[in-house]
Amino acid sequence: MEIRIGLVGAGWMGKTHIKAFINAFINFGPKYGKPVFETVSDVSAEAAKNVCKQLGFSKWTTDWKEVVQDERVHIVDIATPNAFHYEVAKAALENGKHVYCEKPLSLSAEQSIELAKMAKQKGVVNYVGYNNVMNPANAYIKDLVQSGKLGQIIGFFGIYSQDSLLDPNLPITWRHINKYSGSGALGDLGSHILSVSQFILGNIESVIALPKTVIKQRPVSPGSLELADVENDDLITILAKYENGAVGTILASRVAPGRKNYLTYEIQGTEGTVYYSLERMNEVKVYFTSDNSADRGFRTVFLGPEHKGYSAFYPAAGIAIGYNDMKVLEAHELLSAVSKGTPYICDFEFGAKIDQTVSAILESAAKQNWINVRNKGGVTI
Amino acid sequence: MEIRIGLVGAGWMGKTHIKAFINAFINFGPKYGKPVFETVSDVSAEAAKNVCKQLGFSKWTTDWKEVVQDERVHIVDIATPNAFHYEVAKAALENGKHVYCEKPLSLSAEQSIELAKMAKQKGVVNYVGYNNVMNPANAYIKDLVQSGKLGQIIGFFGIYSQDSLLDPNLPITWRHINKYSGSGALGDLGSHILSVSQFILGNIESVIALPKTVIKQRPVSPGSLELADVENDDLITILAKYENGAVGTILASRVAPGRKNYLTYEIQGTEGTVYYSLERMNEVKVYFTSDNSADRGFRTVFLGPEHKGYSAFYPAAGIAIGYNDMKVLEAHELLSAVSKGTPYICDFEFGAKIDQTVSAILESAAKQNWINVRNKGGVTI
Amino acid sequence: MEIRIGLVGAGWMGKTHIKAFINAFINFGPKYGKPVFETVSDVSAEAAKNVCKQLGFSKWTTDWKEVVQDERVHIVDIATPNAFHYEVAKAALENGKHVYCEKPLSLSAEQSIELAKMAKQKGVVNYVGYNNVMNPANAYIKDLVQSGKLGQIIGFFGIYSQDSLLDPNLPITWRHINKYSGSGALGDLGSHILSVSQFILGNIESVIALPKTVIKQRPVSPGSLELADVENDDLITILAKYENGAVGTILASRVAPGRKNYLTYEIQGTEGTVYYSLERMNEVKVYFTSDNSADRGFRTVFLGPEHKGYSAFYPAAGIAIGYNDMKVLEAHELLSAVSKGTPYICDFEFGAKIDQTVSAILESAAKQNWINVRNKGGVTI
Amino acid sequence: MEIRIGLVGAGWMGKTHIKAFINAFINFGPKYGKPVFETVSDVSAEAAKNVCKQLGFSKWTTDWKEVVQDERVHIVDIATPNAFHYEVAKAALENGKHVYCEKPLSLSAEQSIELAKMAKQKGVVNYVGYNNVMNPANAYIKDLVQSGKLGQIIGFFGIYSQDSLLDPNLPITWRHINKYSGSGALGDLGSHILSVSQFILGNIESVIALPKTVIKQRPVSPGSLELADVENDDLITILAKYENGAVGTILASRVAPGRKNYLTYEIQGTEGTVYYSLERMNEVKVYFTSDNSADRGFRTVFLGPEHKGYSAFYPAAGIAIGYNDMKVLEAHELLSAVSKGTPYICDFEFGAKIDQTVSAILESAAKQNWINVRNKGGVTI
Ligand SMILES: NC(=O)C1=CN([C@@H]2O[C@H](COP(=O)(O)OP(=O)(O)OC[C@H]3O[C@@H](n4cnc5c(N)ncnc54)[C@H](O)[C@@H]3O)[C@@H](O)[C@H]2O)C=CC1
Ligand SMILES: NC(=O)C1=CN([C@@H]2O[C@H](COP(=O)(O)OP(=O)(O)OC[C@H]3O[C@@H](n4cnc5c(N)ncnc54)[C@H](O)[C@@H]3O)[C@@H](O)[C@H]2O)C=CC1
Ligand SMILES: NC(=O)C1=CN([C@@H]2O[C@H](COP(=O)(O)OP(=O)(O)OC[C@H]3O[C@@H](n4cnc5c(N)ncnc54)[C@H](O)[C@@H]3O)[C@@H](O)[C@H]2O)C=CC1
Ligand SMILES: NC(=O)C1=CN([C@@H]2O[C@H](COP(=O)(O)OP(=O)(O)OC[C@H]3O[C@@H](n4cnc5c(N)ncnc54)[C@H](O)[C@@H]3O)[C@@H](O)[C@H]2O)C=CC1
């Protein structure tokens, strides 16, 4: 059997997806049908053509509609900038396709809820690319939390900081304009930390946020003296109350000097604490109050075969997986779901719930007040 | 010359102060008068008597009034529980004494402002024991910030977490009762992180906070089945806007598993980031955007003679100072101020400004709203 | 164009090689011919059959001779246990094939020198799988050393420790029997640390070693009460003099509790120090004496596009590569060499020089004396 | 009761000793007699006079003989450069004094054995200042080893590196001339790592060493163009076999860029590993194979009241002690021994055994051969 894939958006993430499908198959196959690359589309003909050749697609196009309408395509894979996710996903669903969409699902809670409902109704596989939940580290941490090993959960303290947009000479892009991006560091980076937070602790009840735009204007193009306004948050700090009674702080920044891929979080319970950083994605620090007090301290646990997902890559502990391997595990979830109907986490509803939190955060920042998350943009189910 | 000291409160901190005076003199002396220990008072006669004998006081008493009225005493040193600071400090000032008071200065912004004004008017040395600002690491960090080496400051992210009160079997103490403590983790631990924050970045403009009481009742005494209510925050999370435009998050907790003395903070500027943790108080991590990009990363700088205060202890870098050494540097500030009129940071006004922030934080938690710090409890100067 | 590969040994490393070829092509292609998988052989028919199906070989066999004689095969890829490398490599060379052989090249310096000479004479591409030299971190470190940024090199301090064979209940395997393995931790793990050492610092002049067999006997099979002798080193400590005047210590252990993949090394020069650990393979710690002394400390440099090889995977710094990615870069070296004649490091001569060092180390351990490395087992060129 | 102390050598260590006595008394007193500072001598009158005044001695002199002959003196405290330890200690013993001598005990195993025997015969307290064994961390580690929690001990891997003498412009000192120092980095730094090694694991059986002098000549005085030869090791690497069957590597360097006070060691047993670094002297890393494998990793244990010696300083874990506090605990050992006859570790015999190891190491370096330690320089007891 073949699982035929059509790709919309042949940039970094588009290529990463296709490589992930290939590696999922060579690591897990032949458990399921072989992924076959049918059509790739990009507004840039060159991008589409190159990916077609390099990654073995059958054909390419500059019109994404050809992809969603292609009868041969089983999965429509969306890796365009955020603003196009909604339209493409909707059309793909209308054509009865399985849909694999990069995060965030759309630009608003409303759109995302609409897509989630539509996907449920169509009965297709619907997946949002929040790959951080796929790290075996996160599965391990979720298990620590849910098994009660950390006691009752008190707090979640999460950060996603980078310094990718610190340089004020970098020109304005779609990421700085709300109609294309929805928000700044919040949607781009904060949504990732929300994804692991909501994956592990469940929904957030209410939020209040304080955003800051550090670089208020940027050149319209590299080297230009003409400046355009940055419309959204370079960094944002958030307080959160969880439905389960925990409290939390969340920080997202694209202008944090020295922080490269600093998605970190600490979860404290009454019987232990766990800490993780994506910059050292092969280890988890965990503390148990039940350890003998003279010998008690944070343990640095290296990932190993005991942690879900790891043994797809290596037979022994401490051999580093990489960032792309999270995408491989994501592709594996998707191929399993399509070929065998197995359940998975990051469906459109999960994505919509993150967008509800994002929406409440933006409102709280605007109103300088606590805002409830539930039913932002509509009822999810 | 002699500098004669009278101590009120002969507990852990009281003893620590006296040891600090002794060490200040043997490290810095004979730059100034020799500290001489005149009278020690404690409500517990045994405590007073023991300290008198062990640390070489001339006499002891159970009545603190004798200390503040003692003509021979130059400095009244207050190390009682928080609730008594105000009364003792006020009486000491009325008697024209120099006053060295443990943190927090009092239970409210009002009281602290009153004391600050009174001290200024009396023209005596007035000092609050926020020792963390004395670590050479903090002096170094302040210098990084003020010299502009980190560029324009964007954010401050501070934590003071401990797990000292995590065990629910620990009985209720004055720390859990507001009339004795003013607040919970906030006043006890949070005030320390506020002290370094305000020392380095200046005043906070407004705050919003979310507190949580994790252990809602505690035994009235060890092993008792009778329970009493915990009145204040076991942990508190705070968003802050600084007067200089920076934003921040602050977290204080006395129930954070595995965190022992986890006073940490990160300051981000447009040209660099600096990070510090009291658990590793001999090192500072600093990142400069100006470093050559291939070789750029957080530097782990060990304290050394270049950092203000360090060379009082050691002639070469990387030889660990300890927590008590911050108190030694504090005692040195005080002895210098008394004998030579040298300026110092942690005066009552500085202490009062921290209490203003604490007061605004408590109000923001109660009202669930942003609260301005300025003029909380009155005008400072 | 196609580059057709025949694989001998379909175990963990054999599969890893094939996946690496696939990923090299999808990351770097179409810079060179597409790797095509012709024949796979294994003494286990099941292993051969499974790999044939999963990874897309044209056919499988249990007779490795069919692979080396197959006219369609361009590259013979050898991933059998060590004892078979020599025979298979020799036959492949005799048939004029390019040869990609896992480390160590053979069981002795003599055999390896013979293969190195034969490969040179045949003019084929000849490659030994010392993948650790391919980490962008190692390329960066080599550059630090060779550019003189660390001054004159003083010392190399290397370790490769694991606890994989710590459990005394694990049964005896070929790794414990010298006729199959040549040596214990030394050849298996120590050879890797020698590979980076010799890659960066050049050849070792003389050595003295102290080995230790910690678990002297093991069950002949899992759970068996019958025990067989372990013939070789569980751990070995070594002093080394380098030809360039540096000194060094080297430690290899397969019984080091808590060490999972602990290949670490520190290189000290008169103007700086650099440190690396495979357990955190995305970062390098480097210290420059030229930094301003108040701000000086080890820098934690995350790998990024400035470091050779990294940008094949990611466009920005701090996104983790994994262990397999070193094999991808290795496969890329090989495919480039075959299709474009580009030069590469780990040829058979490089492998033979490592085996010369191993041979001298074994002799020094037996004789308890310093032993010269040069010309062990014969002259290389 | 008073314990009267006479000091010979009023440099850094001399002052540190006196401060340590003062702090031992204020921390532990009044468990024993009060230390009283009788006479201080130094070849520099100014040094002696200053210390006399600053630290409260009764009198000073430039003639050390006055100290050892002073009837009022109970303890002779020797903190001169190494070359004078022997003569002063011998004279002090002849006068029936308790002797507290800085490390190393003397310049040779012979002299040290002579002193050890004489001290035993005189029945006085005799103490060598190997303060690193006093860190509560080392007591904890010794307990881990001796209780069998780490299983059978396999290896010890120790380092003491600094970069204090890296700068080639620093002039020649007594440390570079063997008749004053005995050896280079070995005696100065290596002896410290030997002290903890022998304290925890017992005696070393045999050694082989490779020394290196990196900076072969130094200015005779700051800025001078005249150069003098450095006679001893800037760095030395050592292999060791312990009497208990363990193996080890030891490294000492005074020219290791970035290493400030890098006394580190790792001890591996069949059931666990422990690691310590003086640069982070408040924490110990420990790994137990018995931990549940999914949650297993090195634990970072902060020192606390459970660890012997710590509670003299603080009532709760994670509050940093400093380097000087090891000297305080050392002074406490000494005062206890003098006033109450309590046993202690670092007697002259212990010091002599370290000097035997140093002697064997030097011989092994000269002869390039393994050398037995036992009976180097004579039989100890
Ligand atoms: N899961 C994760 O960790 C990450 C997710 N992403 C997400 O992936 C998406 C793409 O990001 P990148 O690949 O980094 O951007 P990119 O800019 O490298 O690629 C986007 C591509 O889409 C093409 N494109 C734009 N409009 C299109 C349209 N209407 N139809 C077809 N193609 C169109 C562009 O020409 C470009 O080639 C974003 O939604 C982003 O949020 C990106 C990076 C990491
Ligand atoms: N700067 C810092 O890092 C720290 C500051 N502190 C501060 O030091 C103060 C004392 O704390 P601890 O020494 O830990 O408490 P403690 O409980 O060990 O000592 C307090 C002593 O005061 C005595 N006392 C109570 N009421 C008194 C009165 N009216 N007159 C005279 N004596 C009285 C008690 O009998 C007790 O001996 C507090 O304000 C606390 O916030 C405490 C620990 C650390
Ligand atoms: N570069 C690196 O970091 C690593 C290198 N290796 C090297 O890879 C080689 C293989 O190791 P693994 O894959 O771990 O072992 P493995 O035991 O997983 O696989 C070896 C395979 O070779 C097969 N085989 C044995 N004799 C054969 C013969 N005469 N002809 C054909 N097939 C034969 C076995 O049936 C088995 O399937 C070794 O030389 C090892 O040193 C292994 C792991 C890591
Ligand atoms: N335990 C440890 O970690 C350390 C131990 N030491 C040891 O302490 C000793 C002293 O070292 P430092 O204080 O660093 O040296 P230093 O040079 O600061 O002090 C030595 C003092 O001895 C005086 N002196 C020299 N010859 C004398 C004599 N014949 N009689 C009286 N005074 C004499 C000198 O004038 C000088 O004031 C050395 O043996 C050294 O190995 C030093 C530093 C650390």
Side-chain angles (χ1 to χ4, degrees), chain A residues 286-339:
Chain A
V286 62
Y287 180 94
F288 299 112
T289 60
S290 57
D291 279 342
N292 171 30
S293 72
D295 306 315
R296 196 160 52 188
F298 275 88
R299 303 171 178 194
T300 301
V301 178
F302 280 100
L303 296 184
E306 290 89 350
H307 306 115
K308 192 180 168 243
Y310 181 88
S311 59
F313 302 101
Y314 306 115
I319 312 178
I321 58 169
Y323 177 92
N324 281 342
D325 295 330
M326 299 191 298
K327 281 288 180 199
V328 173
L329 290 170
E330 183 172 293
H332 170 60
E333 289 285 292
L334 200 66
L335 292 175
S336 295
V338 166
S339 59

Side-chain angles (χ1 to χ4, degrees), chain A residues 12 19 22-23 26-27 29 54-55 260-261 279-281 283 285 302 314-315 317-324, chain C residues 12 19 22-23 26-27 29 54-55 260-261 279-281 283 302 314-315 317-324:
Chain A
W12 177 42
K19 293 174 192 176
I22 293 170
N23 278 285
I26 62 183
N27 279 313
Q54 186 185 352
L55 296 175
K260 301 302 169 189
N261 205 17
E279 286 182 350
R280 288 177 173 164
M281 63 179 282
E283 55 195 80
K285 294 195 189 291
F302 280 100
Y314 306 115
I319 312 178
I321 58 169
Y323 177 92
N324 281 342
Chain C
W12 177 43
K19 294 173 191 176
I22 293 170
N23 278 285
I26 62 183
N27 279 314
Q54 185 185 352
L55 297 175
K260 301 301 171 192
N261 205 19
E279 288 182 350
R280 289 176 173 166
M281 63 179 282
E283 55 194 79
F302 281 100
Y314 306 114
I319 312 178
I321 59 168
Y323 177 93
N324 281 342

Side-chain angles (χ1 to χ4, degrees), chain D residues 92-245:
Chain D
L93 289 174
E94 281 164 351
N95 283 278
K97 306 297 186 192
H98 302 300
V99 187
Y100 174 25
C101 184
E102 254 311 321
K103 48 67 47 182
L105 181 48
S106 76
L107 292 190
S108 72
E110 287 78 1
Q111 289 180 342
S112 292
I113 291 168
E114 184 190 339
L115 291 174
K117 284 184 173 156
M118 198 168 163
K120 181 148 292 179
Q121 181 206 324
K122 292 280 178 183
V124 295
V125 171
N126 53 107
Y127 205 104
V128 190
Y130 283 112
N131 42 264
N132 283 290
V133 306
M134 293 314 301
N135 186 348
N138 291 289
Y140 170 51
I141 292 168
K142 181 166 191 178
D143 185 59
L144 285 172
V145 167
Q146 298 217 323
S147 65
K149 279 193 192 169
L150 304 182
Q152 185 195 330
I153 300 307
I154 300 171
F156 177 95
F157 309 100
I159 297 173
Y160 199 168
S161 289
Q162 296 185 344
D163 58 9
S164 48
L165 295 179
L166 181 63
D167 181 349
N169 297 318
L170 291 174
I172 205 109
T173 69
W174 63 268
R175 297 187 190 275
H176 305 101
I177 312 294
N178 279 333
K179 75 175 165 190
Y180 298 123
S181 60
S183 65
L186 173 59
D188 194 28
L189 304 175
S191 63
H192 274 298
I193 189 75
L194 290 174
S195 77
V196 293
S197 158
Q198 299 192 189
F199 169 61
I200 297 171
L201 292 198
N203 292 326
I204 291 174
E205 185 185 291
S206 58
V207 288
I208 186 161
L210 175 61
K212 186 172 165 72
T213 305
V214 174
I215 297 152
K216 297 201 169 53
Q217 294 193 311
R218 289 183 174 278
V220 295
S221 59
S224 168
L225 292 180
E226 194 187 334
L227 298 178
D229 285 352
V230 171
E231 292 180 13
N232 48 34
D233 49 299
D234 282 331
L235 82 87
I236 189 161
T237 62
I238 304 159
L239 299 184
K241 300 179 201 167
Y242 286 78
E243 290 185 357
N244 71 2

Side-chain angles (χ1 to χ4, degrees), chain B residues 12 19 22-23 26-27 29 54-55 260-261 279-281 283 302 314-315 317-324, chain D residues 12 19 22-23 26-27 29 54-55 260-261 279-281 283 285 302 314-315 317-324:
Chain B
W12 177 42
K19 294 174 191 176
I22 293 170
N23 278 285
I26 62 182
N27 279 313
Q54 187 185 351
L55 297 175
K260 301 302 171 190
N261 205 19
E279 286 182 349
R280 288 177 172 164
M281 63 179 280
E283 53 195 82
F302 280 101
Y314 306 114
I319 312 180
I321 58 168
Y323 177 94
N324 281 341
Chain D
W12 177 43
K19 294 174 191 176
I22 292 170
N23 278 285
I26 62 182
N27 279 313
Q54 186 185 355
L55 296 175
K260 301 301 170 191
N261 205 18
E279 286 182 349
R280 288 176 173 165
M281 64 178 282
E283 55 194 80
K285 295 194 189 291
F302 280 100
Y314 306 114
I319 312 179
I321 58 169
Y323 177 93
N324 281 342

